[in-house]
Amino acid sequence: MQQRLSIIALGVCDLKKSRKFYEDLGWQTATQEGAENIVAFNLQSFVLTLYPIEKLAEEVDMPIKITTPSFTLAYNVASEAEVDATIEEARNIGAKIVKPPQKVFWGGYSSYFSDPDGYLWEVAFNPFSQPEPDGAFKWV
Amino acid sequence: MQQRLSIIALGVCDLKKSRKFYEDLGWQTATQEGAENIVAFNLQSFVLTLYPIEKLAEEVDMPIKITTPSFTLAYNVASEAEVDATIEEARNIGAKIVKPPQKVFWGGYSSYFSDPDGYLWEVAFNPFSQPEPDGAFKWV
């Protein structure tokens, strides 16, 4: 199995509401306007989709509920000021700020907000590793 | 906020066991041998990390348990035969096959396995959209 991944599909309660949230953050959907059942965003080299949770449960034939997620998604930026600005942007579109921007033990500066389903987004500045101009990020 | 993502961090119960699972699938860690608290894999343009669930809960200051996940990760391949072969590979290293390979309603062919914490991986062939030679995948 190659070291790659094609899609992250987040189960959501209200597709229209979740779609609006990410569009308000400035993202553009790849799916057509009329698509009722799925919303896709092309990220650098893979796809993030929003998918109704009941469809996702049906797909894998398991009872699935949305609870506090046991994973996080991180958006790394180039400075502490950019963390602050991104969190303000999220606050302005109604995101819940779960953890205000602060210095963290590993030497960086980070904050968390959550999306309408409670999915956790970290916005972080890591002084040791920053995103490339094209948005790619690597662990070094 | 740019349309990108830097890290997916999966909370795990047993870091050594989870690390071995992904290494057995053929992945190579970017973290050093001695790293006790986190394991990172560089994917195409971002990072997937494994992080002890109790540390993740501490990080966001929330009580977090691992339950049946409300999201899936997909690994798209170039043919039905490659779905079968990848699932065999996963089965051989002890992955639970959650849904055997089968034709699916959207016209593709797909199967699911789960990792040691129950995180769901879809292995899929989509006749309408296949990964680029460099592993990138796009919604079209």
Side-chain angles (χ1 to χ4, degrees), chain A residues 44 75-80 82-83 106-109 124-140, chain B residues 2 4 6-7 45-47:
Chain A
Q44 306 101 299
Y75 178 81
N76 279 51
V77 296
S79 67
E80 295 191 3
E82 205 182 331
V83 173
W106 46 265
Y109 183 78
F125 166 63
N126 180 338
F128 312 108
S129 180
Q130 284 154 56
E132 299 294 318
D134 68 357
F137 185 75
K138 221 174 214 187
W139 192 276
V140 289
Chain B
Q2 293 161 11
R4 60 181 183 80
S6 313
I7 301 174
S45 62
F46 66 107
V47 180

Side-chain angles (χ1 to χ4, degrees), chain B residues 50-72:
Chain B
L50 308 174
Y51 197 51
I53 189 68
E54 67 276 9
K55 300 258 177 201
L56 193 125
E58 198 179 293
E59 167 98 3
V60 294
D61 196 20
M62 285 182 181
I64 294 183
K65 279 186 205 156
I66 301 177
T67 57
T68 305
S70 62
F71 71 102
T72 60

Side-chain angles (χ1 to χ4, degrees), chain A residues 67-80:
Chain A
T67 57
T68 305
S70 61
F71 71 102
T72 59
L73 303 171
Y75 178 81
N76 279 51
V77 296
S79 67
E80 295 191 3

Side-chain angles (χ1 to χ4, degrees), chain A residues 1-9 11 27-28 42 45 59 70 72 74-76 89 99 112 119 139, chain B residues 1-4 6-9 11 27-28 42 44-45 59 70 72 74-76 89 99 112 119 139:
Chain A
M1 190 162 158
Q2 293 161 10
Q3 196 155 330
R4 60 182 183 80
L5 175 159
S6 313
I7 302 173
I8 304 171
W27 288 15
Q28 296 195 320
N42 284 321
S45 61
E59 166 98 3
S70 61
T72 59
Y75 178 81
N76 279 51
E89 197 184 333
K99 188 178 180 179
Y112 283 84
Y119 292 117
W139 192 276
Chain B
M1 189 161 157
Q2 293 161 11
Q3 197 155 329
R4 60 181 183 80
S6 313
I7 301 174
I8 304 170
W27 288 15
Q28 296 195 319
N42 285 321
Q44 305 101 300
S45 62
E59 167 98 3
S70 62
T72 60
Y75 178 81
N76 280 50
E89 197 184 333
K99 188 178 180 179
Y112 283 84
Y119 291 117
W139 192 277

